[in-house]
Amino acid sequence: MYKRQLRFFQPEDGPGIYHAIETDRASFLPWLSWVLTHNRSVEECVTAITAAAAKRSSDNPSIDDFTLGILDRHSGGVIGGTGLHRINLAAHEAEIGYWIRPDRRREGLCAEAVAGLITWAFQSPSAGGWGLRRIHIRCAGANISSQHIPTKLGLRMEGRIRHTRWTEGFGWDDTLIWGVLKDEWDEHAGRARA
């Protein structure tokens, strides 16, 4: 039984997003520097949710970013966020990013949510999915916690781009890339086939 639910954030999730981040805002650093400039109040969270919904509802074919909430299945509370980013429709691929509130980390919720999102992304549009054929995850070489997700899900390590990102407190850091193709993904197991 899944412990989480994935869905687009709604305006009423604004307080939950704010409190999920504010629980320990500093713990997201240095990896997610957007916590310093975004979602600094409930109002900012609601504004971001409303802007994302307006972008989704437009007929703009260049939309390449969809943010989703990770919510506790029982309480409905915000656990974190994930999404498809840098969507390349011509190549039928996208990147997945994720974050989990500090007091709910190490429960397997992020891996469960990302596995659910990969399955959803690979489903055909007629089944309610995105119809993608490839998903990748990128993270900083020094961000060990983030690396656990693609590793746990059996994604293939595809590359290391050396000293491509500046990370405060670490200096120039590598970017690690994992990927999975649709025909490699076992949606019932929620992981890539060996």
Side-chain angles (χ1 to χ4, degrees):
M1 178 64 171
Y2 296 119
K3 297 182 264 183
R4 57 84 200 138
Q5 169 188 9
L6 286 178
R7 67 164 168 75
F8 290 113
F9 281 123
Q10 304 298 316
E12 57 269 17
D13 295 320
I17 294 170
Y18 174 74
H19 293 299
I21 295 167
E22 198 61 28
T23 300
D24 186 358
R25 191 171 288 268
S27 74
F28 292 95
L29 298 171
W31 318 118
L32 301 176
S33 59
W34 56 260
V35 300
L36 297 176
T37 57
H38 294 78
N39 301 316
R40 296 168 297 178
S41 68
V42 171
E43 294 76 21
E44 280 189 9
C45 294
V46 172
T47 298
I49 292 166
T50 304
K55 200 163 93 169
R56 277 195 319 272
S57 66
S58 76
D59 289 333
N60 184 351
S62 67
I63 295 172
D64 68 348
D65 187 78
F66 292 94
T67 302
L68 300 160
I70 305 171
L71 295 101
D72 185 283
R73 183 168 291 285
H74 301 293
S75 71
V78 175
I79 299 170
T82 187
L84 296 175
H85 311 295
R86 294 178 214 26
I87 299 169
N88 181 337
L89 293 176
H92 303 282
E93 70 175 328
E95 180 179 339
I96 289 182
Y98 40 83
W99 62 271
I100 294 290
R101 61 182 293 145
D103 58 346
R104 297 296 303 270
R105 293 176 185 160
R106 300 188 191 349
E107 294 180 30
L109 295 165
C110 191
E112 181 185 293
V114 170
L117 181 54
I118 292 172
T119 296
W120 191 8
F122 285 151
Q123 289 175 339
S124 70
S126 63
W130 275 275
L132 300 180
R133 63 161 195 90
R134 182 177 183 278
I135 296 291
H136 64 275
I137 294 174
R138 294 173 178 246
C139 75
N143 188 347
I144 303 303
S145 294
S146 189
Q147 294 175 37
H148 288 308
I149 303 305
T151 302
K152 183 175 183 175
L153 298 179
L155 274 63
R156 183 183 309 235
M157 176 79 151
E158 295 183 335
R160 173 185 296 266
I161 305 171
R162 296 182 317 138
H163 291 201
T164 189
R165 63 170 71 204
W166 177 263
T167 304
E168 196 62 42
F170 288 90
W172 287 105
D173 196 1
D174 298 347
T175 295
L176 305 180
I177 307 165
W178 289 264
V180 63
L181 302 175
K182 180 179 179 175
D183 62 0
E184 297 171 334
W185 185 251
D186 182 339
E187 67 179 70
H188 300 294
R191 60 174 288 112
R193 293 181 185 87

